[in-house]
Amino acid sequence: MRIEDYGFIGDTHTGALVGRNGSIDWLCLPRFDGEACFAALLGDGEHGHWQISPSGGDSRTTRRYLGDSLILETTFESADGAVELVDFMPLREHTQERLDVVRIVRGIRGRVSMAFDLVVRFDYGSVIPWVQRRDFGISAVAGPHALDVHSSVPLVGRDFHTVATFEVTAGEELSFVMTWRQSHLPSHRPLDPRRALEQTRQWWQHWSQRCNFPEPYRDVAMRSLVTLKGLTYRPTGGLIAAATTSLPELIGGVRNWDYRYCWLRDATFALYALLVSGYTEEALAWRSWLLRAVAGMPRDVQIMYGIRGERRLTELDLQWLPGYEGSAPVRIGNGAHKQFQLDVYGEVMDVLETARGAGVEGDHAGDAWALQRVLLESLESVWQQPDNGIWESRGDPRHFTHSKIMAGVAFDRAVKAVERSKMEGPADHWRALGDQVHREVCEKGFDTSLNSFVQSYGSTKLDASLLMAAMVGFLPANDPRIVGTVDAIQAGLTQDGFVLRNAADGTVEGLPPGEGAFLACSFWLVDNLAMIGRHDQAHALFERLLAVRNDLGLLAEEYDPVAKRQLGNFPQAFSHVGLINAAHNLMTGDGPAMKRSRRSGTPDGGVRQPSP
């Protein structure tokens, strides 16, 4: 199936992808970054899946979420009748060493023959478990993992599959519950599917009622907010980039990365999205995760961490998996965690000052400022060095313009902390450093012949990250250099109106060229168009981006405007954060892009303009 043919369910510890054919093709145990027991997404059915669907195979399928939740309802209709498949994961407590996936089949009309096919393969499809029949169904055990499957119908073993056939009539309801446990522990007490469904519905209803997002885009933003909540590891507050690994940026290509980790860069964007929508508790949890993750020596700060703040994210290739539509290699871990990316200093300084200004600092405000001061001391000695850039180049380090801009943001937010938040520090010194960065970027990062900022010093290439220049307050949105950069990106870095990250020649990444349009960058273009007053263009592009979402309102990382399909890991937090922030920018005229662009040094919080 295409990537957009999947829906997402989760319990804020891990998540699963459910195809429109009723097959769960991806699920990691017991956390987002754990080993997959269903890995058909990156191979075939023999690598693990769980399908419940009409046995005829010629039914028409529609699906939806139950309200503002991650309870997925799939309806299959055929000449014989109609059935509804309800898939969800009950919310669990932080201390519970269990995971439940509940599947309920309801007869709507007629009589429909159904098929059940379960293939459990632990360790990303490589380990066939020992399966035993139980009075409640079956149990599957291998190494540290065990799954108990409670079934309303008899299950049969066949060729290392667990199968069943059954019929469902109008008004009838059958349930199936799969529960994970550590294999050395006894089976958990089975849950009541109906009660679990009602409790899960109420939990999501209560959570969604906290949203204060205004119309007319509330429903659009709400689906993205629910997705972000589903991608949050609730015990620590960490927000993963996506629920999957190795979904390709180009079908058949090698740009296949593991996104089940937390990027510092995402913090600022996510914090704004949560704050403007009324979710201060989640914003505080995310900020607290960030502080714990980066604690230590400033030279050891990484661009990404594990969901509990883990630092070692060793990258491995899984040779036994052929990859999504043959897109190999399949990777777990992410080697980019070792890279030096200068812009994260600016992102961390910005997100902590944003949290401070919004009053969501928590109980350790002084500790945060002490950490920030140490980071600033480190930045002062490294900001003139080349780095790997926002797109995690695996080629030679360069002086990326966006990286330098964000170094300037770090010094600016330090000044803001002193001037507005009354923190202690050498504001004049930091202001002077910020002005030095500003002058250098304007001199070396701007090409007068292109009338645009460029990807790196001495380059003539464009880069979508340059759209951040106005959004972080480097220059006013109406500055001719900003307008020129927006015009240049629209003319030279878009495909059918959607924004590419950079020129697709592979020279920056050190990898073979080719990928889709980057959805987050396309939302940044919406923000820029709104900021410079091109509101009709901004609204038109935003509506086009909304049309790219699948029928459930979900977005991957990228989009192929030619093949008309989504690409990259799914669902992608960065894309949904971009949607939320762009929607708010369009509706209020004072959204995250405008708030973030207010630099220090002016009485009204406007953009300070050092000498060109």
Side-chain angles (χ1 to χ4, degrees):
M1 291 179 291
R2 292 190 171 204
I3 293 169
E4 56 265 34
D5 286 332
Y6 286 98
F8 172 61
I9 61 174
D11 64 354
T12 69
H13 287 67
T14 189
L17 296 192
V18 187
R20 62 170 60 251
N21 64 347
S23 181
I24 300 178
D25 288 349
W26 183 254
L27 173 63
C28 295
L29 304 172
R31 312 184 325 187
F32 290 110
D33 57 353
E35 301 171 358
C37 67
F38 301 144
L41 179 72
L42 302 176
D44 58 35
E46 295 305 312
H47 293 109
H49 77 286
W50 183 12
Q51 184 169 4
I52 300 176
S53 61
S55 55
D58 58 352
S59 56
R60 185 174 69 90
T61 305
T62 56
R63 54 188 184 163
R64 64 174 186 174
Y65 283 112
L66 178 60
D68 296 325
S69 77
L70 286 180
I71 301 170
L72 180 61
E73 298 177 332
T74 305
T75 302
F76 301 99
E77 296 183 85
S78 67
D80 296 326
V83 296
E84 182 178 71
L85 174 64
V86 181
D87 290 311
F88 67 99
M89 298 175 67
L91 280 297
R92 47 177 157 153
E93 296 300 324
H94 297 177
T95 57
Q96 284 186 323
E97 288 295 329
R98 69 180 291 169
L99 174 159
D100 295 289
V101 179
V102 180
R103 316 196 74 181
I104 299 174
V105 180
R106 295 170 174 163
I108 298 175
R109 62 175 176 81
R111 179 185 296 271
V112 181
S113 296
M114 302 290 292
F116 174 112
D117 185 21
L118 172 65
V119 180
V120 177
R121 298 289 185 266
F122 294 119
D123 195 13
Y124 300 99
S126 66
V127 176
I128 300 175
W130 182 260
V131 178
Q132 293 179 287
R133 189 185 303 276
R134 304 296 187 191
D135 56 0
F136 55 75
I138 60 112
S139 65
V141 178
H145 302 294
L147 290 173
D148 297 319
V149 180
H150 293 252
S151 172
S152 293
V153 302
L155 304 178
V156 178
R158 183 183 303 149
D159 298 328
F160 300 101
H161 291 224
T162 299
V163 300
T165 57
F166 57 96
E167 290 187 337
V168 181
T169 59
E172 188 177 9
E173 183 174 291
L174 301 172
S175 61
F176 308 86
V177 180
M178 185 182 75
T179 303
W180 171 86
R181 59 182 166 87
Q182 297 183 65
S183 59
H184 66 279
L185 297 178
S187 297
H188 292 291
R189 181 179 179 180
L191 55 76
D192 181 325
R194 285 189 176 183
R195 182 180 179 187
L197 176 60
E198 179 58 22
Q199 289 176 337
T200 304
R201 186 195 67 79
Q202 290 181 5
W203 189 94
W204 281 108
Q205 182 181 44
H206 176 74
W207 184 85
S208 63
Q209 286 174 346
R210 291 163 48 198
C211 179
N212 62 9
F213 208 93
E215 298 293 349
Y217 289 127
R218 184 194 180 280
D219 290 345
V220 167
M222 193 69 245
R223 177 46 51 195
S224 290
L225 286 163
V226 169
T227 303
L228 291 184
K229 183 64 174 179
L231 293 173
T232 300
Y233 185 61
R234 192 154 52 116
T236 66
L239 174 68
I240 62 169
T244 59
T245 179
S246 301
L247 288 181
E249 297 171 7
L250 177 71
I251 301 299
V254 299
R255 297 168 181 255
N256 317 317
W257 315 113
D258 193 346
Y259 275 16
R260 299 171 298 158
Y261 304 113
C262 306
W263 269 253
L264 297 190
R265 184 177 299 112
D266 296 6
T268 303
F269 295 94
L271 195 79
Y272 276 112
L274 293 167
L275 288 175
V276 300
S277 306
Y279 290 100
T280 54
E281 179 182 327
E282 283 73 13
L284 176 59
W286 181 213
R287 172 199 167 278
S288 298
W289 172 90
L290 184 147
L291 282 176
R292 294 191 302 271
V294 303
M297 294 297 290
R299 66 172 180 268
D300 297 329
V301 171
Q302 298 181 182
I303 64 166
M304 71 178 82
Y305 296 85
I307 56 179
R308 295 185 301 180
E310 298 92 339
R311 295 174 178 242
R312 188 172 291 112
L313 311 176
T314 305
E315 187 174 296
L316 301 171
D317 292 355
L318 305 186
Q319 302 291 340
W320 61 87
L321 284 172
Y324 178 84
E325 293 191 21
S327 304
V330 170
R331 297 180 173 96
I332 59 172
N334 198 309
H337 76 278
K338 299 179 180 179
Q339 290 186 352
F340 171 52
Q341 294 180 20
L342 185 63
D343 69 290
V344 298
Y345 285 90
E347 301 293 359
V348 171
M349 291 295 296
D350 194 11
V351 73
L352 293 179
E353 181 57 27
T354 299
R356 186 176 293 118
V360 293
E361 279 204 285
D363 299 327
H364 304 286
D367 293 343
W369 180 238
L371 173 64
Q372 287 179 266
R373 293 201 59 170
V374 173
L375 289 175
L376 286 164
E377 292 176 8
S378 176
L379 177 61
E380 187 171 347
S381 65
V382 302
W383 75 265
Q384 292 175 310
Q385 297 179 12
D387 74 321
N388 295 99
I390 183 175
W391 308 130
E392 298 170 6
S393 164
R394 300 202 173 194
D396 295 333
R398 300 185 183 188
H399 292 283
F400 287 99
T401 302
H402 170 264
S403 298
K404 305 300 185 185
I405 289 174
M406 294 309 298
V409 167
F411 293 125
D412 176 82
R413 298 321 188 250
V415 174
K416 182 181 288 186
V418 174
E419 293 181 343
R420 301 186 189 177
S421 301
K422 309 305 179 186
M423 311 306 291
E424 294 186 0
D428 290 341
H429 176 63
W430 290 329
R431 182 180 291 109
L433 285 170
D435 288 348
Q436 183 182 350
V437 176
H438 194 281
R439 286 191 296 269
E440 180 181 291
V441 170
C442 290
E443 176 186 349
K444 299 181 179 180
F446 187 82
D447 188 291
T448 55
S449 63
L450 295 174
N451 192 31
S452 173
F453 287 100
V454 289
Q455 185 178 76
S456 59
Y457 291 176
S459 169
T460 57
K461 296 183 183 297
L462 299 172
D463 194 290
S465 64
L466 302 169
L467 292 170
M468 292 298 302
M471 295 168 63
V472 298
F474 181 76
L475 284 171
N478 61 358
D479 187 284
R481 290 164 290 188
I482 294 295
V483 176
T485 300
V486 172
D487 289 340
I489 288 174
Q490 281 189 290
L493 210 57
T494 59
Q495 184 176 19
D496 196 24
F498 299 99
V499 179
L500 304 172
R501 286 192 295 184
N502 45 51
D505 58 8
T507 57
V508 175
E509 296 86 350
L511 294 165
E515 64 174 5
F518 205 76
L519 292 173
C521 296
S522 300
F523 284 115
W524 297 350
L525 180 55
V526 172
D527 298 330
N528 274 263
L529 292 171
M531 292 177 75
I532 64 180
R534 299 177 185 175
H535 299 292
D536 289 345
Q537 289 186 42
H539 280 278
L541 178 56
F542 186 71
E543 292 295 334
R544 292 193 66 198
L545 286 164
L546 293 184
V548 168
R549 299 175 305 153
N550 73 358
D551 55 318
L552 295 171
L554 301 179
L555 289 168
E557 180 184 27
E558 299 182 1
Y559 178 68
D560 183 342
V562 177
K564 308 295 184 185
R565 61 180 302 183
Q566 295 192 28
L567 297 171
N569 285 302
F570 177 88
Q572 179 83 5
F574 215 22
S575 299
H576 285 282
V577 166
L579 184 156
I580 295 165
N581 288 338
H584 210 283
N585 291 331
L586 289 175
M587 288 188 301
T588 66
D590 190 31
M594 293 72 171
K595 288 182 170 66
R596 195 179 183 192
S597 69
R598 291 172 184 153
R599 300 183 68 195
S600 61
T602 60
D604 62 353
V607 178
R608 179 171 53 88
Q609 300 183 57
S611 57

